[in-house]
Amino acid sequence: MKNTLLAIALTTVGFAAVPAISQAADTSGFFINGNVGQSSLDKGAFDDDDTAFGGNFGYRWAVAPNVLLGVEGGYTDLGEFSTKDSLGSGKAELKGWNIGANGHFNVTDNWYVSGRAGWFRGDRKVNYTSFAPVSVDDTKNGWYAGAGFGYDFNTNVSLGLNYDYYKVDKDGLDLSPGVVSVSGEYRF
């Protein structure tokens, strides 16, 4: 269900990229952003929420008056999650580096929708005690994708609300949380 909602959100962002909705100035340039919110993991034995935070640095090119496309790189801490299984107990942590593409699409002079997707290098730490104890401390490749909307206060500052999904499913251990977050961005 979450993947279906994500696909719908990304499709909506794509349709919002139609040019000529507003006449914004050329705002190509570097940006830095940060976000904080709630991550939620409900996979296998894990069912928990925690605080997530992250930051990105990147560059966007103005390809139309209201369309900015770019690249980003950053770091995200998705939190620590507990088990829901009554047969055992455990904790899992997930954080890592990301690199990908993003878009910022103005639907009016101030309101925008955004999208992002790319590669996520997740550092997984898991300790689970049951009939057979499991301990994992490794780094795995995955992906991330997200969509959001927000308000541009001017050409340099914006505030937004986002949903991001991080997929890290390797070796039978699925740590793939969704994150709802508030973000702030500065463009220079």
Side-chain angles (χ1 to χ4, degrees):
M1 180 68 178
K2 288 181 183 178
N3 289 341
T4 302
L5 291 174
L6 178 62
I8 291 169
L10 290 176
T11 302
T12 302
V13 168
F15 286 126
V18 178
I21 296 174
S22 72
Q23 298 300 317
D26 181 1
T27 53
S28 294
F30 289 98
F31 68 90
I32 186 167
N33 63 32
N35 64 311
V36 64
Q38 183 175 23
S39 58
S40 180
L41 177 64
D42 186 10
K43 303 283 184 183
F46 295 96
D47 183 11
D48 200 7
D49 302 323
D50 199 10
T51 301
F53 60 90
N56 287 293
F57 178 77
Y59 190 89
R60 287 194 198 104
W61 294 268
V63 296
N66 64 327
V67 178
L68 300 169
L69 299 177
V71 294
E72 67 183 14
Y75 183 80
T76 302
D77 185 331
L78 295 164
E80 183 177 290
F81 308 98
S82 298
T83 59
K84 66 179 177 183
D85 191 345
S86 61
L87 300 175
S89 63
K91 296 260 185 222
E93 292 179 44
L94 182 61
K95 52 189 161 192
W97 297 95
N98 61 276
I99 188 166
N102 63 65
H104 184 102
F105 312 99
N106 285 89
V107 293
T108 70
D109 285 341
N110 296 100
W111 289 97
Y112 71 88
V113 293
S114 63
R116 60 193 295 257
W119 174 70
F120 178 67
R121 180 83 170 154
D123 180 23
R124 309 180 309 168
K125 292 184 182 175
V126 178
N127 288 305
Y128 181 74
T129 304
S130 183
F131 299 111
V134 175
S135 181
V136 174
D137 187 357
D138 65 7
T139 304
K140 293 292 181 182
N141 292 324
W143 56 267
Y144 70 95
F149 69 94
Y151 189 81
D152 290 329
F153 292 97
N154 55 45
T155 57
N156 299 101
V157 178
S158 63
L159 185 66
L161 182 65
N162 312 289
Y163 176 80
D164 295 299
Y165 183 74
Y166 292 83
K167 182 70 171 169
V168 183
D169 179 12
K170 300 289 182 186
D171 307 323
L173 179 60
D174 189 358
L175 297 180
S176 301
V179 178
V180 175
S181 65
V182 174
S183 64
E185 181 171 278
Y186 181 74
R187 294 175 291 280
F188 48 97

